[in-house]
Amino acid sequence: MTSSRPYLIRALYEWIVENNCTPHLLVNAEYPQAQVPQGFVNDGQIVLNVSPSAVRHLHMDNEAVSFEGRFGGVAHTLYIPAAAVLAIYARENGQGMVFDLEPPVIDEDEDSGPDDEGPSGGEPPRPSGRPSLKVVK
């Protein structure tokens, strides 16, 4: 099942803007592929004002949030993977949502491939993460 995070980010963004508040994103700036101005990162995180008046070309999809913004008068293009968004909230009242930290997704193609050794002890293979019972005498 796909992550609900991108859908919630978009819905909360719309809700915050419709209520005439300023949407802010709390972002894990150290997340792989996150492109944020590093000079404004504090403790590995950055807070971004993503109100319609503060950004240009805002695009939110199931993969990422991207936009152009100015930091210290310098234009930057930002790319934030959806999993790097730690929270979205209204600056005025703090209402919004905090998300759990997600580990980076490992691309299956980059993996070293299947393990040819198989299970030890002659036990049949079983799906990982699944409980199993063992008879003990």
Side-chain angles (χ1 to χ4, degrees), residues 82-126:
V85 176
L86 301 174
I88 180 169
Y89 62 94
R91 179 186 68 198
E92 291 78 4
N93 57 21
Q95 290 189 346
M97 183 176 283
V98 176
F99 300 103
D100 290 332
L101 186 63
E102 279 189 23
V105 177
I106 298 171
D107 190 4
E108 295 293 326
D109 295 337
E110 293 177 11
D111 207 8
S112 61
D115 187 9
D116 293 334
E117 293 178 17
S120 61
E123 295 178 18
R126 64 175 195 262

